[in-house]
Amino acid sequence: MLKTAYGDVVAPTDAEDRTYAKVTWRLVPFLFLCYVFAYLDRVNVGFAKLQMLTDLKFSETIYGLGAGIFFIGYFIFEVPSNIALHRFGARKWIARIMLSWGVLSAAMIFVTTPTQFYVLRFLLGVAEAGFFPGIILYLTYWFPSSRRAKITAMFMTGIPIAGVIGGPLSGWILNAFSGVNGMAGWRWLFLLEALPSIVGGFAVLLYLDDRISAAKWLTADEKSLLESGLANESGHIEVHSASGAFTNGRVWVLCLCYFGIIMGLYGISFWLPTLIKASGVSDALNVGLLTMIPYGAAAIAMVLLGRSSDKSKERRWHVALPAVIGAAGLVASTLVPHNVALAVVSLTIATIGILGALCQFWAIPPAFLGGVAAAAGIALINSVGNLAGFVSPYLVGWIKDMTHSTDVGLYCVAVSLLVAAAIVLTMPKRVVNR
């Protein structure tokens, strides 16, 4: 969108649409692919669990703690990492993140004890800290708020697509590579799925540009148009400094909201294979194939939600309603424990709602945070929220050990989503609906 000298919004020109389409096709598919690699390395432990627990004689609690401790390292280093990206540039910093997490993910093949499991998962969190909020920040360097919900949704479909690709791939690796060269299938899983991240890290160095001004693939007129679009919205920014981000009450409200949504995300991400297996599917490859359904449906829903949010300029209900739908899907999944078809349907509803709320959430913080405040504030929200990535899998694992059922754990996750929905509706419309 462009504005007149009097502040009136005018329809985008053909040149504007062509320029943003050019930027979208240049950046989003590549960033999307990087996020697929990132998310796959983060959650493939959920598939490795199908063999690893028996092989290493780990309990569900050990698994839950190991899966979740990733987010402690992630929490500690998230804000410093994002500020470093803002200072040193996205190209070098994102490449560093991808290379280090790829190496550490591959090192999971050496795990034999709970302590080794915990240490490597913690270090993996340290390595990946800053990647997701860094990309969200990076997108604010190129797209104004009026276009950001759809772009963010397109990027974040990397989560469900990682499930669509990763489910069958992980199941196939577990079956096909079990015992090859005397190594268990779950060890091959960590090794093979780490390689794309390492290759992607080198690709980032060659492909990304830090800013509009550095993009040789844009003409001078295109650069001017993009920079004008960002300058036009700068008047809406309320917070510019890093200290302002830490003391702004709205930032902390969004931290709580995001915590609730992430409780749902990792309730699904780390336990979806287990929940499908528990419904009566025993073969690892079939479990992987069935996980494609929830993730594939969620990918489509995320893009449609992004378009709807940008078109209507409404943000709050585009987060709240999907969160409620996600909670309903989780509760429904506990009511059909031994029916594969109904379990997949209910988990699909849950995944659509949770991922829909997640992607629309990130249209809100940049509406009132700018500059280094955006770097610090986005990282703070993401790091505090992702502590739920520790709480959620550990809580569900501990409850399953105590009750021999995941039902109570899923109820807790559903409640957290409902609380998140209520919290986001407290945000003032004039601040976030842009």
Side-chain angles (χ1 to χ4, degrees), residues 5-40:
Y6 300 99
D8 299 319
V9 176
V10 298
T13 64
D14 289 342
E16 185 181 359
D17 284 339
R18 283 196 304 270
T19 301
Y20 280 112
K22 184 177 181 179
V23 175
T24 299
W25 282 107
R26 169 76 184 192
L27 297 181
V28 175
F30 181 76
L31 296 174
F32 160 85
L33 194 60
C34 291
Y35 196 36
V36 170
F37 298 157
Y39 202 76
L40 196 59

PDB file of all heavy atoms in Angstrom, residues 5-40:
ATOM      1  N   ALA A   5       0.188  12.459   0.423  1.00  0.00           N
ATOM      2  CA  ALA A   5       0.791  13.411   1.367  1.00  0.00           C
ATOM      3  C   ALA A   5      -0.120  13.684   2.549  1.00  0.00           C
ATOM      4  O   ALA A   5       0.316  14.139   3.604  1.00  0.00           O
ATOM      5  CB  ALA A   5       1.112  14.715   0.640  1.00  0.00           C
ATOM      6  N   TYR A   6      -1.415  13.411   2.381  1.00  0.00           N
ATOM      7  CA  TYR A   6      -2.386  13.634   3.463  1.00  0.00           C
ATOM      8  C   TYR A   6      -2.612  12.397   4.324  1.00  0.00           C
ATOM      9  O   TYR A   6      -3.465  12.390   5.201  1.00  0.00           O
ATOM     10  CB  TYR A   6      -3.714  14.088   2.866  1.00  0.00           C
ATOM     11  CG  TYR A   6      -3.586  15.366   2.077  1.00  0.00           C
ATOM     12  CD1 TYR A   6      -3.486  15.319   0.686  1.00  0.00           C
ATOM     13  CD2 TYR A   6      -3.539  16.609   2.720  1.00  0.00           C
ATOM     14  CE1 TYR A   6      -3.340  16.491  -0.051  1.00  0.00           C
ATOM     15  CE2 TYR A   6      -3.395  17.785   1.985  1.00  0.00           C
ATOM     16  CZ  TYR A   6      -3.293  17.719   0.602  1.00  0.00           C
ATOM     17  OH  TYR A   6      -3.152  18.866  -0.120  1.00  0.00           O
ATOM     18  N   GLY A   7      -1.857  11.308   4.024  1.00  0.00           N
ATOM     19  CA  GLY A   7      -1.973  10.100   4.835  1.00  0.00           C
ATOM     20  C   GLY A   7      -3.034   9.134   4.374  1.00  0.00           C
ATOM     21  O   GLY A   7      -3.302   8.152   5.033  1.00  0.00           O
ATOM     22  N   ASP A   8      -3.693   9.417   3.226  1.00  0.00           N
ATOM     23  CA  ASP A   8      -4.734   8.525   2.740  1.00  0.00           C
ATOM     24  C   ASP A   8      -4.121   7.303   2.055  1.00  0.00           C
ATOM     25  O   ASP A   8      -3.149   7.417   1.301  1.00  0.00           O
ATOM     26  CB  ASP A   8      -5.631   9.254   1.725  1.00  0.00           C
ATOM     27  CG  ASP A   8      -6.320  10.460   2.354  1.00  0.00           C
ATOM     28  OD1 ASP A   8      -6.761  10.321   3.510  1.00  0.00           O
ATOM     29  OD2 ASP A   8      -6.398  11.509   1.690  1.00  0.00           O
ATOM     30  N   VAL A   9      -4.691   6.154   2.313  1.00  0.00           N
ATOM     31  CA  VAL A   9      -4.205   4.927   1.703  1.00  0.00           C
ATOM     32  C   VAL A   9      -4.749   4.824   0.289  1.00  0.00           C
ATOM     33  O   VAL A   9      -5.935   5.064   0.049  1.00  0.00           O
ATOM     34  CB  VAL A   9      -4.650   3.696   2.521  1.00  0.00           C
ATOM     35  CG1 VAL A   9      -4.220   2.412   1.818  1.00  0.00           C
ATOM     36  CG2 VAL A   9      -4.054   3.755   3.920  1.00  0.00           C
ATOM     37  N   VAL A  10      -3.859   4.498  -0.646  1.00  0.00           N
ATOM     38  CA  VAL A  10      -4.278   4.314  -2.031  1.00  0.00           C
ATOM     39  C   VAL A  10      -3.968   2.887  -2.452  1.00  0.00           C
ATOM     40  O   VAL A  10      -3.148   2.213  -1.849  1.00  0.00           O
ATOM     41  CB  VAL A  10      -3.566   5.307  -2.974  1.00  0.00           C
ATOM     42  CG1 VAL A  10      -3.929   6.726  -2.614  1.00  0.00           C
ATOM     43  CG2 VAL A  10      -2.051   5.125  -2.927  1.00  0.00           C
ATOM     44  N   ALA A  11      -4.650   2.444  -3.493  1.00  0.00           N
ATOM     45  CA  ALA A  11      -4.473   1.075  -3.954  1.00  0.00           C
ATOM     46  C   ALA A  11      -3.056   0.873  -4.476  1.00  0.00           C
ATOM     47  O   ALA A  11      -2.444   1.798  -5.023  1.00  0.00           O
ATOM     48  CB  ALA A  11      -5.484   0.766  -5.051  1.00  0.00           C
ATOM     49  N   PRO A  12      -2.498  -0.334  -4.305  1.00  0.00           N
ATOM     50  CA  PRO A  12      -1.162  -0.599  -4.819  1.00  0.00           C
ATOM     51  C   PRO A  12      -1.133  -0.506  -6.342  1.00  0.00           C
ATOM     52  O   PRO A  12      -2.091  -0.866  -7.021  1.00  0.00           O
ATOM     53  CB  PRO A  12      -0.884  -2.026  -4.338  1.00  0.00           C
ATOM     54  CG  PRO A  12      -2.218  -2.633  -4.088  1.00  0.00           C
ATOM     55  CD  PRO A  12      -3.093  -1.500  -3.648  1.00  0.00           C
ATOM     56  N   THR A  13      -0.029   0.005  -6.867  1.00  0.00           N
ATOM     57  CA  THR A  13       0.137   0.108  -8.311  1.00  0.00           C
ATOM     58  C   THR A  13       0.612  -1.221  -8.876  1.00  0.00           C
ATOM     59  O   THR A  13       1.056  -2.102  -8.144  1.00  0.00           O
ATOM     60  CB  THR A  13       1.165   1.185  -8.639  1.00  0.00           C
ATOM     61  OG1 THR A  13       2.440   0.778  -8.117  1.00  0.00           O
ATOM     62  CG2 THR A  13       0.770   2.520  -8.024  1.00  0.00           C
ATOM     63  N   ASP A  14       0.547  -1.333 -10.201  1.00  0.00           N
ATOM     64  CA  ASP A  14       1.057  -2.544 -10.846  1.00  0.00           C
ATOM     65  C   ASP A  14       2.546  -2.704 -10.574  1.00  0.00           C
ATOM     66  O   ASP A  14       3.025  -3.818 -10.344  1.00  0.00           O
ATOM     67  CB  ASP A  14       0.804  -2.473 -12.356  1.00  0.00           C
ATOM     68  CG  ASP A  14      -0.673  -2.623 -12.706  1.00  0.00           C
ATOM     69  OD1 ASP A  14      -1.429  -3.109 -11.843  1.00  0.00           O
ATOM     70  OD2 ASP A  14      -1.062  -2.243 -13.825  1.00  0.00           O
ATOM     71  N   ALA A  15       3.269  -1.589 -10.608  1.00  0.00           N
ATOM     72  CA  ALA A  15       4.708  -1.646 -10.347  1.00  0.00           C
ATOM     73  C   ALA A  15       4.994  -2.138  -8.938  1.00  0.00           C
ATOM     74  O   ALA A  15       5.920  -2.925  -8.706  1.00  0.00           O
ATOM     75  CB  ALA A  15       5.335  -0.264 -10.560  1.00  0.00           C
ATOM     76  N   GLU A  16       4.176  -1.687  -7.984  1.00  0.00           N
ATOM     77  CA  GLU A  16       4.343  -2.120  -6.595  1.00  0.00           C
ATOM     78  C   GLU A  16       4.094  -3.608  -6.466  1.00  0.00           C
ATOM     79  O   GLU A  16       4.886  -4.334  -5.847  1.00  0.00           O
ATOM     80  CB  GLU A  16       3.383  -1.339  -5.700  1.00  0.00           C
ATOM     81  CG  GLU A  16       3.555  -1.623  -4.212  1.00  0.00           C
ATOM     82  CD  GLU A  16       2.566  -0.856  -3.361  1.00  0.00           C
ATOM     83  OE1 GLU A  16       1.759  -0.098  -3.929  1.00  0.00           O
ATOM     84  OE2 GLU A  16       2.591  -1.045  -2.135  1.00  0.00           O
ATOM     85  N   ASP A  17       2.993  -4.077  -7.049  1.00  0.00           N
ATOM     86  CA  ASP A  17       2.681  -5.511  -6.968  1.00  0.00           C
ATOM     87  C   ASP A  17       3.763  -6.359  -7.633  1.00  0.00           C
ATOM     88  O   ASP A  17       4.142  -7.415  -7.120  1.00  0.00           O
ATOM     89  CB  ASP A  17       1.326  -5.790  -7.630  1.00  0.00           C
ATOM     90  CG  ASP A  17       0.150  -5.367  -6.756  1.00  0.00           C
ATOM     91  OD1 ASP A  17       0.353  -5.250  -5.527  1.00  0.00           O
ATOM     92  OD2 ASP A  17      -0.946  -5.159  -7.294  1.00  0.00           O
ATOM     93  N   ARG A  18       4.267  -5.899  -8.779  1.00  0.00           N
ATOM     94  CA  ARG A  18       5.315  -6.643  -9.480  1.00  0.00           C
ATOM     95  C   ARG A  18       6.604  -6.696  -8.648  1.00  0.00           C
ATOM     96  O   ARG A  18       7.268  -7.723  -8.584  1.00  0.00           O
ATOM     97  CB  ARG A  18       5.607  -6.006 -10.841  1.00  0.00           C
ATOM     98  CG  ARG A  18       4.574  -6.301 -11.911  1.00  0.00           C
ATOM     99  CD  ARG A  18       5.126  -5.981 -13.303  1.00  0.00           C
ATOM    100  NE  ARG A  18       5.586  -4.609 -13.418  1.00  0.00           N
ATOM    101  CZ  ARG A  18       4.822  -3.587 -13.799  1.00  0.00           C
ATOM    102  NH1 ARG A  18       3.536  -3.795 -14.090  1.00  0.00           N
ATOM    103  NH2 ARG A  18       5.317  -2.374 -13.888  1.00  0.00           N
ATOM    104  N   THR A  19       6.909  -5.587  -8.014  1.00  0.00           N
ATOM    105  CA  THR A  19       8.143  -5.534  -7.221  1.00  0.00           C
ATOM    106  C   THR A  19       8.060  -6.455  -6.006  1.00  0.00           C
ATOM    107  O   THR A  19       9.003  -7.213  -5.714  1.00  0.00           O
ATOM    108  CB  THR A  19       8.426  -4.089  -6.765  1.00  0.00           C
ATOM    109  OG1 THR A  19       8.552  -3.253  -7.916  1.00  0.00           O
ATOM    110  CG2 THR A  19       9.705  -4.028  -5.951  1.00  0.00           C
ATOM    111  N   TYR A  20       6.926  -6.401  -5.297  1.00  0.00           N
ATOM    112  CA  TYR A  20       6.789  -7.275  -4.133  1.00  0.00           C
ATOM    113  C   TYR A  20       6.716  -8.749  -4.537  1.00  0.00           C
ATOM    114  O   TYR A  20       7.191  -9.624  -3.814  1.00  0.00           O
ATOM    115  CB  TYR A  20       5.569  -6.874  -3.301  1.00  0.00           C
ATOM    116  CG  TYR A  20       5.849  -5.694  -2.410  1.00  0.00           C
ATOM    117  CD1 TYR A  20       5.234  -4.459  -2.638  1.00  0.00           C
ATOM    118  CD2 TYR A  20       6.740  -5.801  -1.345  1.00  0.00           C
ATOM    119  CE1 TYR A  20       5.509  -3.367  -1.828  1.00  0.00           C
ATOM    120  CE2 TYR A  20       7.011  -4.721  -0.536  1.00  0.00           C
ATOM    121  CZ  TYR A  20       6.399  -3.502  -0.784  1.00  0.00           C
ATOM    122  OH  TYR A  20       6.684  -2.433   0.022  1.00  0.00           O
ATOM    123  N   ALA A  21       6.129  -9.024  -5.694  1.00  0.00           N
ATOM    124  CA  ALA A  21       6.118 -10.403  -6.188  1.00  0.00           C
ATOM    125  C   ALA A  21       7.538 -10.871  -6.478  1.00  0.00           C
ATOM    126  O   ALA A  21       7.899 -12.027  -6.188  1.00  0.00           O
ATOM    127  CB  ALA A  21       5.265 -10.504  -7.450  1.00  0.00           C
ATOM    128  N   LYS A  22       8.344  -9.993  -7.031  1.00  0.00           N
ATOM    129  CA  LYS A  22       9.742 -10.326  -7.319  1.00  0.00           C
ATOM    130  C   LYS A  22      10.508 -10.645  -6.035  1.00  0.00           C
ATOM    131  O   LYS A  22      11.259 -11.621  -5.961  1.00  0.00           O
ATOM    132  CB  LYS A  22      10.401  -9.155  -8.059  1.00  0.00           C
ATOM    133  CG  LYS A  22      11.826  -9.401  -8.504  1.00  0.00           C
ATOM    134  CD  LYS A  22      12.344  -8.194  -9.290  1.00  0.00           C
ATOM    135  CE  LYS A  22      13.771  -8.416  -9.780  1.00  0.00           C
ATOM    136  NZ  LYS A  22      14.253  -7.241 -10.576  1.00  0.00           N
ATOM    137  N   VAL A  23      10.308  -9.799  -5.030  1.00  0.00           N
ATOM    138  CA  VAL A  23      10.979 -10.024  -3.743  1.00  0.00           C
ATOM    139  C   VAL A  23      10.489 -11.317  -3.099  1.00  0.00           C
ATOM    140  O   VAL A  23      11.274 -12.093  -2.550  1.00  0.00           O
ATOM    141  CB  VAL A  23      10.744  -8.825  -2.800  1.00  0.00           C
ATOM    142  CG1 VAL A  23      11.333  -9.103  -1.425  1.00  0.00           C
ATOM    143  CG2 VAL A  23      11.342  -7.558  -3.383  1.00  0.00           C
ATOM    144  N   THR A  24       9.177 -11.540  -3.181  1.00  0.00           N
ATOM    145  CA  THR A  24       8.605 -12.758  -2.591  1.00  0.00           C
ATOM    146  C   THR A  24       9.203 -14.006  -3.213  1.00  0.00           C
ATOM    147  O   THR A  24       9.633 -14.925  -2.491  1.00  0.00           O
ATOM    148  CB  THR A  24       7.072 -12.765  -2.778  1.00  0.00           C
ATOM    149  OG1 THR A  24       6.513 -11.635  -2.105  1.00  0.00           O
ATOM    150  CG2 THR A  24       6.462 -14.042  -2.210  1.00  0.00           C
ATOM    151  N   TRP A  25       9.252 -14.062  -4.523  1.00  0.00           N
ATOM    152  CA  TRP A  25       9.779 -15.250  -5.196  1.00  0.00           C
ATOM    153  C   TRP A  25      11.283 -15.407  -4.988  1.00  0.00           C
ATOM    154  O   TRP A  25      11.807 -16.529  -5.008  1.00  0.00           O
ATOM    155  CB  TRP A  25       9.450 -15.209  -6.688  1.00  0.00           C
ATOM    156  CG  TRP A  25       8.043 -15.594  -6.972  1.00  0.00           C
ATOM    157  CD1 TRP A  25       7.017 -14.785  -7.356  1.00  0.00           C
ATOM    158  CD2 TRP A  25       7.484 -16.912  -6.859  1.00  0.00           C
ATOM    159  NE1 TRP A  25       5.850 -15.498  -7.491  1.00  0.00           N
ATOM    160  CE2 TRP A  25       6.114 -16.812  -7.191  1.00  0.00           C
ATOM    161  CE3 TRP A  25       8.002 -18.156  -6.512  1.00  0.00           C
ATOM    162  CZ2 TRP A  25       5.250 -17.908  -7.190  1.00  0.00           C
ATOM    163  CZ3 TRP A  25       7.156 -19.256  -6.510  1.00  0.00           C
ATOM    164  CH2 TRP A  25       5.794 -19.120  -6.840  1.00  0.00           C
ATOM    165  N   ARG A  26      11.974 -14.318  -4.767  1.00  0.00           N
ATOM    166  CA  ARG A  26      13.405 -14.392  -4.511  1.00  0.00           C
ATOM    167  C   ARG A  26      13.707 -14.917  -3.103  1.00  0.00           C
ATOM    168  O   ARG A  26      14.599 -15.753  -2.917  1.00  0.00           O
ATOM    169  CB  ARG A  26      14.027 -13.006  -4.687  1.00  0.00           C
ATOM    170  CG  ARG A  26      15.467 -12.862  -4.215  1.00  0.00           C
ATOM    171  CD  ARG A  26      16.457 -13.466  -5.158  1.00  0.00           C
ATOM    172  NE  ARG A  26      17.825 -13.389  -4.628  1.00  0.00           N
ATOM    173  CZ  ARG A  26      18.904 -13.636  -5.334  1.00  0.00           C
ATOM    174  NH1 ARG A  26      18.795 -13.966  -6.610  1.00  0.00           N
ATOM    175  NH2 ARG A  26      20.103 -13.549  -4.782  1.00  0.00           N
ATOM    176  N   LEU A  27      12.963 -14.442  -2.104  1.00  0.00           N
ATOM    177  CA  LEU A  27      13.311 -14.728  -0.711  1.00  0.00           C
ATOM    178  C   LEU A  27      12.521 -15.863  -0.071  1.00  0.00           C
ATOM    179  O   LEU A  27      13.099 -16.732   0.598  1.00  0.00           O
ATOM    180  CB  LEU A  27      13.124 -13.463   0.133  1.00  0.00           C
ATOM    181  CG  LEU A  27      13.999 -12.257  -0.213  1.00  0.00           C
ATOM    182  CD1 LEU A  27      13.700 -11.111   0.742  1.00  0.00           C
ATOM    183  CD2 LEU A  27      15.475 -12.622  -0.170  1.00  0.00           C
ATOM    184  N   VAL A  28      11.199 -15.844  -0.248  1.00  0.00           N
ATOM    185  CA  VAL A  28      10.354 -16.728   0.557  1.00  0.00           C
ATOM    186  C   VAL A  28      10.588 -18.210   0.290  1.00  0.00           C
ATOM    187  O   VAL A  28      10.711 -18.995   1.240  1.00  0.00           O
ATOM    188  CB  VAL A  28       8.864 -16.352   0.400  1.00  0.00           C
ATOM    189  CG1 VAL A  28       7.975 -17.355   1.131  1.00  0.00           C
ATOM    190  CG2 VAL A  28       8.624 -14.947   0.944  1.00  0.00           C
ATOM    191  N   PRO A  29      10.668 -18.683  -0.966  1.00  0.00           N
ATOM    192  CA  PRO A  29      10.915 -20.126  -1.158  1.00  0.00           C
ATOM    193  C   PRO A  29      12.226 -20.592  -0.527  1.00  0.00           C
ATOM    194  O   PRO A  29      12.286 -21.685   0.047  1.00  0.00           O
ATOM    195  CB  PRO A  29      10.952 -20.267  -2.685  1.00  0.00           C
ATOM    196  CG  PRO A  29      10.135 -19.129  -3.195  1.00  0.00           C
ATOM    197  CD  PRO A  29      10.427 -18.001  -2.257  1.00  0.00           C
ATOM    198  N   PHE A  30      13.265 -19.761  -0.615  1.00  0.00           N
ATOM    199  CA  PHE A  30      14.560 -20.136  -0.033  1.00  0.00           C
ATOM    200  C   PHE A  30      14.483 -20.175   1.489  1.00  0.00           C
ATOM    201  O   PHE A  30      14.951 -21.132   2.126  1.00  0.00           O
ATOM    202  CB  PHE A  30      15.642 -19.163  -0.489  1.00  0.00           C
ATOM    203  CG  PHE A  30      17.005 -19.491   0.051  1.00  0.00           C
ATOM    204  CD1 PHE A  30      17.743 -20.534  -0.484  1.00  0.00           C
ATOM    205  CD2 PHE A  30      17.545 -18.755   1.097  1.00  0.00           C
ATOM    206  CE1 PHE A  30      19.004 -20.843   0.019  1.00  0.00           C
ATOM    207  CE2 PHE A  30      18.793 -19.057   1.601  1.00  0.00           C
ATOM    208  CZ  PHE A  30      19.527 -20.111   1.060  1.00  0.00           C
ATOM    209  N   LEU A  31      13.891 -19.134   2.102  1.00  0.00           N
ATOM    210  CA  LEU A  31      13.760 -19.105   3.560  1.00  0.00           C
ATOM    211  C   LEU A  31      12.853 -20.226   4.052  1.00  0.00           C
ATOM    212  O   LEU A  31      13.093 -20.820   5.105  1.00  0.00           O
ATOM    213  CB  LEU A  31      13.212 -17.746   4.004  1.00  0.00           C
ATOM    214  CG  LEU A  31      14.111 -16.546   3.722  1.00  0.00           C
ATOM    215  CD1 LEU A  31      13.391 -15.247   4.084  1.00  0.00           C
ATOM    216  CD2 LEU A  31      15.428 -16.664   4.471  1.00  0.00           C
ATOM    217  N   PHE A  32      11.811 -20.503   3.287  1.00  0.00           N
ATOM    218  CA  PHE A  32      10.907 -21.606   3.592  1.00  0.00           C
ATOM    219  C   PHE A  32      11.684 -22.928   3.643  1.00  0.00           C
ATOM    220  O   PHE A  32      11.525 -23.729   4.570  1.00  0.00           O
ATOM    221  CB  PHE A  32       9.817 -21.667   2.521  1.00  0.00           C
ATOM    222  CG  PHE A  32       9.100 -22.982   2.398  1.00  0.00           C
ATOM    223  CD1 PHE A  32       8.023 -23.289   3.208  1.00  0.00           C
ATOM    224  CD2 PHE A  32       9.517 -23.921   1.456  1.00  0.00           C
ATOM    225  CE1 PHE A  32       7.369 -24.498   3.081  1.00  0.00           C
ATOM    226  CE2 PHE A  32       8.862 -25.127   1.331  1.00  0.00           C
ATOM    227  CZ  PHE A  32       7.789 -25.423   2.148  1.00  0.00           C
ATOM    228  N   LEU A  33      12.544 -23.155   2.657  1.00  0.00           N
ATOM    229  CA  LEU A  33      13.318 -24.394   2.614  1.00  0.00           C
ATOM    230  C   LEU A  33      14.255 -24.494   3.815  1.00  0.00           C
ATOM    231  O   LEU A  33      14.389 -25.557   4.427  1.00  0.00           O
ATOM    232  CB  LEU A  33      14.112 -24.452   1.306  1.00  0.00           C
ATOM    233  CG  LEU A  33      14.725 -25.805   0.924  1.00  0.00           C
ATOM    234  CD1 LEU A  33      13.640 -26.863   0.760  1.00  0.00           C
ATOM    235  CD2 LEU A  33      15.539 -25.667  -0.362  1.00  0.00           C
ATOM    236  N   CYS A  34      14.888 -23.384   4.167  1.00  0.00           N
ATOM    237  CA  CYS A  34      15.754 -23.376   5.351  1.00  0.00           C
ATOM    238  C   CYS A  34      14.967 -23.723   6.609  1.00  0.00           C
ATOM    239  O   CYS A  34      15.458 -24.438   7.496  1.00  0.00           O
ATOM    240  CB  CYS A  34      16.411 -22.007   5.511  1.00  0.00           C
ATOM    241  SG  CYS A  34      17.635 -21.606   4.250  1.00  0.00           S
ATOM    242  N   TYR A  35      13.740 -23.210   6.705  1.00  0.00           N
ATOM    243  CA  TYR A  35      12.917 -23.483   7.885  1.00  0.00           C
ATOM    244  C   TYR A  35      12.471 -24.940   7.930  1.00  0.00           C
ATOM    245  O   TYR A  35      12.373 -25.539   9.010  1.00  0.00           O
ATOM    246  CB  TYR A  35      11.706 -22.549   7.897  1.00  0.00           C
ATOM    247  CG  TYR A  35      10.999 -22.478   9.231  1.00  0.00           C
ATOM    248  CD1 TYR A  35      11.712 -22.534  10.418  1.00  0.00           C
ATOM    249  CD2 TYR A  35       9.618 -22.353   9.308  1.00  0.00           C
ATOM    250  CE1 TYR A  35      11.075 -22.459  11.644  1.00  0.00           C
ATOM    251  CE2 TYR A  35       8.967 -22.271  10.529  1.00  0.00           C
ATOM    252  CZ  TYR A  35       9.700 -22.331  11.693  1.00  0.00           C
ATOM    253  OH  TYR A  35       9.065 -22.259  12.903  1.00  0.00           O
ATOM    254  N   VAL A  36      12.216 -25.526   6.768  1.00  0.00           N
ATOM    255  CA  VAL A  36      11.905 -26.962   6.719  1.00  0.00           C
ATOM    256  C   VAL A  36      13.062 -27.757   7.317  1.00  0.00           C
ATOM    257  O   VAL A  36      12.865 -28.648   8.144  1.00  0.00           O
ATOM    258  CB  VAL A  36      11.625 -27.414   5.273  1.00  0.00           C
ATOM    259  CG1 VAL A  36      11.560 -28.948   5.196  1.00  0.00           C
ATOM    260  CG2 VAL A  36      10.313 -26.832   4.774  1.00  0.00           C
ATOM    261  N   PHE A  37      14.292 -27.420   6.906  1.00  0.00           N
ATOM    262  CA  PHE A  37      15.463 -28.121   7.429  1.00  0.00           C
ATOM    263  C   PHE A  37      15.577 -27.927   8.937  1.00  0.00           C
ATOM    264  O   PHE A  37      15.870 -28.864   9.683  1.00  0.00           O
ATOM    265  CB  PHE A  37      16.741 -27.606   6.753  1.00  0.00           C
ATOM    266  CG  PHE A  37      16.801 -27.829   5.270  1.00  0.00           C
ATOM    267  CD1 PHE A  37      17.606 -27.033   4.468  1.00  0.00           C
ATOM    268  CD2 PHE A  37      16.058 -28.837   4.667  1.00  0.00           C
ATOM    269  CE1 PHE A  37      17.671 -27.233   3.103  1.00  0.00           C
ATOM    270  CE2 PHE A  37      16.103 -29.046   3.301  1.00  0.00           C
ATOM    271  CZ  PHE A  37      16.922 -28.244   2.511  1.00  0.00           C
ATOM    272  N   ALA A  38      15.355 -26.682   9.390  1.00  0.00           N
ATOM    273  CA  ALA A  38      15.468 -26.363  10.811  1.00  0.00           C
ATOM    274  C   ALA A  38      14.449 -27.147  11.630  1.00  0.00           C
ATOM    275  O   ALA A  38      14.790 -27.774  12.646  1.00  0.00           O
ATOM    276  CB  ALA A  38      15.272 -24.869  11.038  1.00  0.00           C
ATOM    277  N   TYR A  39      13.209 -27.105  11.192  1.00  0.00           N
ATOM    278  CA  TYR A  39      12.156 -27.731  11.976  1.00  0.00           C
ATOM    279  C   TYR A  39      12.295 -29.252  11.964  1.00  0.00           C
ATOM    280  O   TYR A  39      12.015 -29.921  12.971  1.00  0.00           O
ATOM    281  CB  TYR A  39      10.781 -27.306  11.448  1.00  0.00           C
ATOM    282  CG  TYR A  39       9.708 -27.463  12.498  1.00  0.00           C
ATOM    283  CD1 TYR A  39       9.605 -26.541  13.533  1.00  0.00           C
ATOM    284  CD2 TYR A  39       8.831 -28.542  12.472  1.00  0.00           C
ATOM    285  CE1 TYR A  39       8.638 -26.685  14.512  1.00  0.00           C
ATOM    286  CE2 TYR A  39       7.866 -28.681  13.461  1.00  0.00           C
ATOM    287  CZ  TYR A  39       7.778 -27.759  14.467  1.00  0.00           C
ATOM    288  OH  TYR A  39       6.831 -27.910  15.435  1.00  0.00           O
ATOM    289  N   LEU A  40      12.750 -29.794  10.850  1.00  0.00           N
ATOM    290  CA  LEU A  40      12.954 -31.234  10.751  1.00  0.00           C
ATOM    291  C   LEU A  40      13.996 -31.697  11.759  1.00  0.00           C
ATOM    292  O   LEU A  40      13.810 -32.699  12.461  1.00  0.00           O
ATOM    293  CB  LEU A  40      13.390 -31.594   9.329  1.00  0.00           C
ATOM    294  CG  LEU A  40      13.307 -33.057   8.904  1.00  0.00           C
ATOM    295  CD1 LEU A  40      11.882 -33.580   9.026  1.00  0.00           C
ATOM    296  CD2 LEU A  40      13.805 -33.205   7.469  1.00  0.00           C
TER     297      LEU A  40
END
